[in-house]
Amino acid sequence: MNYKQLIDRLSEQTGNTKVKTKEILGDTVSVLSEQLSRGSGVSIPDLGTFSTKINQEKKVYNPHYEAYIMVPPKRTVEFSPSTNLKEEVKYLEQPDE
Amino acid sequence: MSEKITFKELVELIAKQSEQSQSSTNSFITELVQIIESGLKSSGSVSISGFGKFELRWMNERTGTNPQTGEEITIPGQNKVVFKPYKALREDVNAPYAGLKSRIIREETEIFEPAVPVQKSKDSSETIDDLIIEHDNPHFVKPEKPKKKTPVAAPLPNEAKLAEEVQKSGSFKWSYAAAVIIALIAFIALFFMIQRGIDTTETPTTTPQIEQVTPPVVSDEEPADVAEPEPPDTEPQTEFETTSFTVEPGQSLWTIAENQLGNPYLWPVLYNVNQDILTNPNQLPAASDLQIPEISDPENLNEFEREQVALGYFALYEWNLENNPDEARYFLWAVGVFSPELLDQPPSDVDPDDLAFARNR
């Protein structure tokens, strides 16, 4: 399901216009990413938990340079689905895509 | 980092931002979650622009062991929900580390730097043991003599001699030697503390650390004093303005350089400036007061700063030459990175092989 389809469905369900739906979804996204940028985790019932994690600096071998490279630390987003969602999709037929 | 906001707070924030009531925001999110779930079921992926994409990933059947019984079991194939953040979100979240780039390894040696020098204040007995062993070893005692040129310098030769004698005679037990040395060290530290007390009238706050071998250093000491024992040092025209900084548990030179100087790769300059405290660059004595030089712009060092960093790497080269000869040459190479001029006029005690390595890299 792409973004357009999501907006279509969402405006259908909530009765808002598509433009309005897009705005609210945009606000939701910006609040979520702001919270994550501050390092706060966010839980959404029935969907799951978003949190951030710091990947520590590490040394990897780069075959192109034939040398070890220091990869700097990085903060990434982690998502852990709720039990409910996990169980719902667990034994579905494998989707075609 | 473990901080979390509740769903209620989240709804409040979104309601405020989108100028809607909380109840309609709440039902909006409920709908969103349902649509994500049904989208996952119907097409296997749901994409939200500017945020990320939820996807189903099929995990093949595999065998595992029951951790309680040790019995082999077959885990059937199943779907897993994964979330892939899009670029905008990734960049937002990674903003604090955005400036950092990968670097080719002079870090082969530095790699252990963040891990090893983590201060051992919790476990001070271990630290003391470590230090005792180092002091018993004549390798360590000798190079220390020229470096410690403050009031401590006078009693030190005794200590060195004693350690050597103890070793030569061989009839002493190590523990005995250790006891003598620790007593000496404590005495020296005490002496130093008293002196300092007279000098500054300020009562030292780090009294429990006396046994940490390296007493807190008088804060108005000039970095030039420290640089002097450096063989290749041409007297610098300017001097660093320094500020005092007390080491906290869990810090290393690397992290201090990162936080105070703005670039972790500048940590050798800390070592260079604080050589009177740091006999081993991989060990940071608890609660010691370091001098932190002022670096105007960590991305664009001026000539003097570059030279100082290079001297720091050179000091590390010398230290490693004695204690970790296999990796010393990487530090020499780093000298050339910061100040090629210094490599062009190498001091005599540079190993020719290392020099060739550093130049050709």
Side-chain angles (χ1 to χ4, degrees):
Chain A
M1 187 189 268
N2 62 27
Y3 187 58
K4 191 165 170 299
Q5 291 164 327
L6 177 71
I7 295 289
D8 288 350
R9 284 285 300 279
L10 208 50
S11 62
E12 227 170 78
Q13 294 286 327
T14 57
N16 285 327
T17 63
K18 286 182 192 173
V19 176
K20 181 77 179 158
T21 309
K22 243 184 209 174
E23 270 175 28
I24 304 176
L25 188 56
D27 290 335
T28 308
V29 165
S30 74
V31 169
L32 282 175
S33 67
E34 190 195 316
Q35 290 303 317
L36 289 172
S37 311
R38 285 181 30 201
S40 310
V42 180
S43 277
I44 299 179
D46 288 345
L47 183 66
T49 304
F50 295 93
S51 58
T52 57
K53 186 187 105 180
I54 296 175
N55 291 336
Q56 289 302 344
E57 176 174 61
K58 63 189 171 191
K59 189 172 85 165
V60 299
Y61 184 73
N62 181 323
H64 179 75
Y65 293 112
E66 299 184 343
Y68 282 90
I69 305 259
M70 237 8 212
V71 179
K74 187 178 180 185
R75 194 158 75 168
T76 57
V77 180
E78 301 249 295
F79 171 68
S80 97
S82 70
T83 322
N84 184 18
L85 181 61
K86 269 196 287 195
E87 292 300 325
E88 284 285 336
V89 301
K90 199 166 181 179
Y91 297 121
L92 284 180
E93 286 287 299
Q94 199 173 356
D96 299 335
E97 277 182 89
Chain B
M1 227 32 60
S2 54
E3 179 194 349
K4 235 174 147 182
I5 65 166
T6 61
F7 184 62
K8 192 159 166 287
E9 287 168 327
L10 179 72
V11 169
E12 277 166 17
L13 285 168
I14 296 173
K16 204 168 146 197
Q17 176 119 9
S18 61
E19 292 162 357
Q20 276 200 317
S21 71
Q22 287 188 22
S23 64
S24 64
T25 309
N26 207 334
S27 62
F28 176 85
I29 292 182
T30 316
E31 293 295 339
L32 178 63
V33 169
Q34 272 171 19
I35 291 170
I36 290 174
E37 192 178 316
S38 69
L40 280 174
K41 283 178 177 170
S42 62
S43 68
S45 76
V46 177
S47 150
I48 301 178
S49 163
F51 191 57
K53 187 177 181 183
F54 296 92
E55 271 182 327
L56 287 188
R57 194 168 292 166
W58 180 252
M59 312 307 287
N60 279 326
E61 181 184 286
R62 64 197 167 95
T63 56
T65 48
N66 181 332
Q68 276 175 350
T69 59
E71 188 185 337
E72 277 222 345
I73 48 174
T74 308
I75 300 167
Q78 53 186 267
N79 283 309
K80 197 174 97 175
V81 183
V82 294
F83 173 72
K84 281 200 224 159
Y86 285 155
K87 199 176 178 200
L89 179 61
R90 282 205 308 265
E91 283 177 357
D92 271 4
V93 167
N94 194 40
Y97 301 99
L100 302 177
K101 294 224 168 66
S102 301
R103 302 204 186 192
I104 298 179
I105 210 58
R106 85 185 80 124
E107 289 72 70
E108 190 156 63
T109 39
E110 277 175 19
I111 179 87
F112 56 68
E113 178 62 21
V116 175
V118 169
Q119 200 188 0
K120 293 177 183 165
S121 60
K122 295 169 255 170
D123 196 349
S124 58
S125 64
E126 193 185 321
T127 313
I128 291 169
D129 281 347
D130 288 352
L131 292 169
I132 289 167
I133 291 165
E134 284 177 11
H135 278 271
D136 282 344
N137 186 337
H139 276 297
F140 281 82
V141 178
K142 272 182 192 161
E144 231 165 70
K145 267 197 287 184
K147 277 176 192 166
K148 294 214 170 180
K149 55 183 300 281
T150 38
V152 193
L156 254 180
N158 285 337
E159 182 192 323
K161 243 184 247 162
L162 208 137
E164 272 167 359
E165 273 173 21
V166 166
Q167 279 204 329
K168 268 183 219 154
S169 69
S171 59
F172 287 91
K173 289 256 155 62
W174 281 102
S175 57
Y176 180 71
V180 170
I181 287 167
I182 206 167
L184 257 174
I185 288 164
F187 176 74
I188 292 165
L190 205 68
F191 171 73
F192 195 74
M193 302 287 288
I194 291 165
Q195 270 235 332
R196 189 183 173 224
I198 294 165
D199 282 352
T200 58
T201 68
E202 175 196 355
T203 46
T205 51
T206 51
T207 328
Q209 259 75 38
I210 292 177
E211 292 193 341
Q212 287 283 354
V213 174
T214 43
V217 162
V218 190
S219 57
D220 50 8
E221 204 166 340
E222 294 298 324
D225 285 357
V226 185
E228 207 188 331
E230 289 289 325
D233 199 355
T234 53
E235 202 64 55
Q237 291 91 351
T238 46
E239 282 171 358
F240 274 132
E241 304 239 321
T242 60
T243 50
S244 193
F245 178 86
T246 307
V247 179
E248 283 164 20
Q251 287 183 322
S252 63
L253 287 181
W254 175 270
T255 58
I256 295 171
E258 187 171 8
N259 297 329
Q260 304 294 321
L261 305 180
N263 183 349
Y265 292 95
L266 303 182
W267 70 271
V269 84
L270 296 180
Y271 173 63
N272 198 20
V273 170
N274 295 290
Q275 267 194 27
D276 45 358
I277 309 182
L278 306 169
T279 49
N280 178 343
N282 297 326
Q283 271 178 344
L284 215 45
S288 46
D289 285 322
L290 297 184
Q291 298 300 308
I292 308 288
E294 302 272 343
I295 299 247
S296 44
D297 178 4
E299 300 303 321
N300 288 307
L301 300 177
N302 66 33
E303 203 173 315
F304 168 69
E305 288 164 349
R306 271 218 319 279
E307 190 186 276
Q308 287 301 309
V309 176
L311 286 175
Y313 274 107
F314 191 81
L316 285 166
Y317 167 71
E318 288 185 313
W319 186 85
N320 276 279
L321 212 53
E322 277 177 21
N323 301 296
N324 187 12
D326 288 347
E327 298 189 324
R329 55 188 188 150
Y330 295 105
F331 289 99
L332 193 62
W333 169 73
V335 173
V337 172
F338 281 93
S339 171
E341 303 86 40
L342 204 63
L343 270 196
D344 288 342
Q345 302 159 350
S348 52
D349 56 348
V350 172
D351 186 294
D353 287 346
D354 288 347
L355 197 60
F357 171 84
R359 280 179 176 160
N360 296 329
R361 186 127 162 150

